[in-house]
Amino acid sequence: MPALAALPEAGAVVESYNLSWGPIGAVGCELATGVPVTTLDSPLRLLLRSPLPFSRRDALLLRRRLRKLPVWVEAELETRHGSVSLAEYSTSPQFLTLHTPDGPKLVGDPWFPRQLRSA
């Protein structure tokens, strides 16, 4: 399956930014269980652990590199407070949706989410 085949190349791209990472979604499920659940159209979903702030410039460059892979890649940046979409973060909106254990919150900075508001 294309998403599984792209995993090593995606890993090399992500590791060049010194981020811990792993597959989630169908690819992660298939690797964890051995049950073939990916399809020809499955995206490669990645979780990128970023306990320290990651610049929007680097996020944009990383996103551009991932878009060159032969499959659709969806990535989430995981902070100590929750996760945000790499695509959303890299486009520099004023507020981002931070997915937390208590539900989604609108924040300006996912690493320093002051004055959290419900999404």
Side-chain angles (χ1 to χ4, degrees):
M1 292 294 128
L4 284 166
L7 193 56
E9 189 176 356
V13 169
V14 172
E15 288 171 0
S16 71
Y17 287 87
N18 295 317
L19 296 171
S20 297
W21 67 279
I24 56 177
V27 171
C29 180
E30 186 163 325
L31 291 174
T33 66
V35 176
V37 294
T38 58
T39 67
L40 290 173
D41 296 327
S42 292
L44 176 55
R45 296 193 61 226
L46 303 173
L47 182 66
L48 315 175
R49 290 207 167 99
S50 183
L52 300 175
F54 190 67
S55 77
R56 289 181 192 259
R57 180 182 178 280
D58 283 343
L60 180 60
L61 294 173
L62 173 56
R63 186 169 166 236
R64 286 179 180 164
R65 288 182 64 193
L66 290 172
R67 286 178 25 197
K68 291 179 181 179
L69 296 177
V71 297
W72 182 258
V73 177
E74 298 171 2
E76 294 179 30
L77 284 170
E78 182 183 63
T79 74
R80 292 173 294 159
H81 304 283
S83 66
V84 295
S85 159
L86 178 68
E88 183 180 7
Y89 178 68
S90 69
T91 59
S92 302
Q94 183 178 2
F95 291 103
L96 302 162
T97 303
L98 179 67
H99 299 275
T100 75
D102 298 322
K105 307 289 183 187
L106 289 178
V107 301
D109 184 331
W111 287 272
F112 303 98
R114 295 186 179 103
Q115 298 178 346
L116 293 177
R117 299 184 342 199
S118 296

